[in-house]
Amino acid sequence: MENKIFATIYFTDGNLINLELYPDVAPITVANFVKLCNAHYYDGLCLHRVIDRFMIQGGGYVFDQNMGLVERPGANTIKGEFKSNGVQNSLSHTKGTISMARTNIKDSASSQFFICVADTPHLNGEYAAFGRCADEQSIATAVQYGKVKTGRWQYFSDIPLTPIVIKTITVRQ
């Protein structure tokens, strides 16, 4: 991972998560994430799925007090950069790894990402890992978010009862 891009997720509660992104490992995924960050696509979106000892997920929904989770349209799907989809990706899903969420369709990732809050080796080769938390405090923040109280709404589960909202994500080389 010689080539790195740095990103910081700023949350409205004052917390932040610093990331190292690895374009040498997942060039399509990193380029898509950076493009969305620079377009301020993630501004105002929430973490809509958190599971203690597994992961925190965001990047697709706004939390609306009256309507619940509202999907933000406009992100295009990209090729899934992982082994079972024919792409070599050496990055393991260990605590602090950022990866792309997707449906059962291997090339369905668009904007949603997740950060592992524990080692999750069963995801290796099946999801496009593209970076890691850059420091221990960032990992601790992700783990802290994974422990918040959650509930259900419509067909969603594991939604934080108190919204965790992304203020913005900045990117720098």
Side-chain angles (χ1 to χ4, degrees):
M1 274 64 61
E2 294 177 21
N3 191 14
K4 295 179 188 174
I5 296 173
F6 299 94
T8 302
I9 305 172
Y10 294 92
F11 294 92
T12 58
D13 65 6
N15 286 315
L16 58 87
I17 295 176
N18 293 308
L19 301 166
E20 295 179 346
L21 310 178
Y22 307 129
D24 294 343
V25 173
I28 296 167
T29 305
V30 170
N32 181 65
F33 185 77
V34 167
K35 178 183 83 172
L36 293 171
C37 292
N38 288 338
H40 299 280
Y41 180 88
Y42 293 111
D43 295 9
L45 298 182
C46 65
L47 297 183
H48 66 275
R49 185 173 176 228
V50 301
I51 302 174
D52 190 23
R53 295 183 299 271
F54 180 39
M55 59 87 219
I56 60 173
Q57 182 174 332
Y61 296 90
V62 173
F63 180 80
D64 181 282
Q65 205 64 30
N66 299 316
M67 298 172 30
L69 293 176
V70 179
E71 189 170 8
R72 175 165 292 167
N76 296 321
T77 58
I78 58 173
K79 177 165 181 63
E81 295 177 296
F82 45 89
K83 187 175 183 177
S84 74
N85 204 27
V87 177
Q88 183 59 36
N89 183 328
S90 60
L91 195 56
S92 296
H93 286 84
T94 56
K95 183 162 70 170
T97 298
I98 185 170
S99 190
M100 288 304 289
R102 64 175 178 83
T103 67
N104 289 332
I105 300 167
K106 293 186 179 195
D107 294 333
S108 63
S110 60
S111 64
Q112 291 186 42
F113 61 88
F114 62 91
I115 299 173
C116 300
V117 297
D119 292 351
T120 53
H122 63 283
L123 301 179
N124 294 342
E126 297 296 329
Y127 290 84
F130 65 100
R132 295 194 192 283
C133 289
D135 52 66
E136 288 300 317
Q137 182 56 52
S138 294
I139 293 172
T141 298
V143 169
Q144 169 193 330
Y145 283 149
K147 295 182 180 303
V148 301
K149 291 192 184 307
T150 61
R152 297 182 58 83
W153 178 78
Q154 291 184 343
Y155 55 87
F156 293 96
S157 57
D158 307 307
I159 304 168
L161 295 180
T162 301
I164 303 168
V165 180
I166 297 169
K167 183 176 181 179
T168 195
I169 305 176
T170 61
V171 177
R172 61 201 177 284
Q173 296 285 350

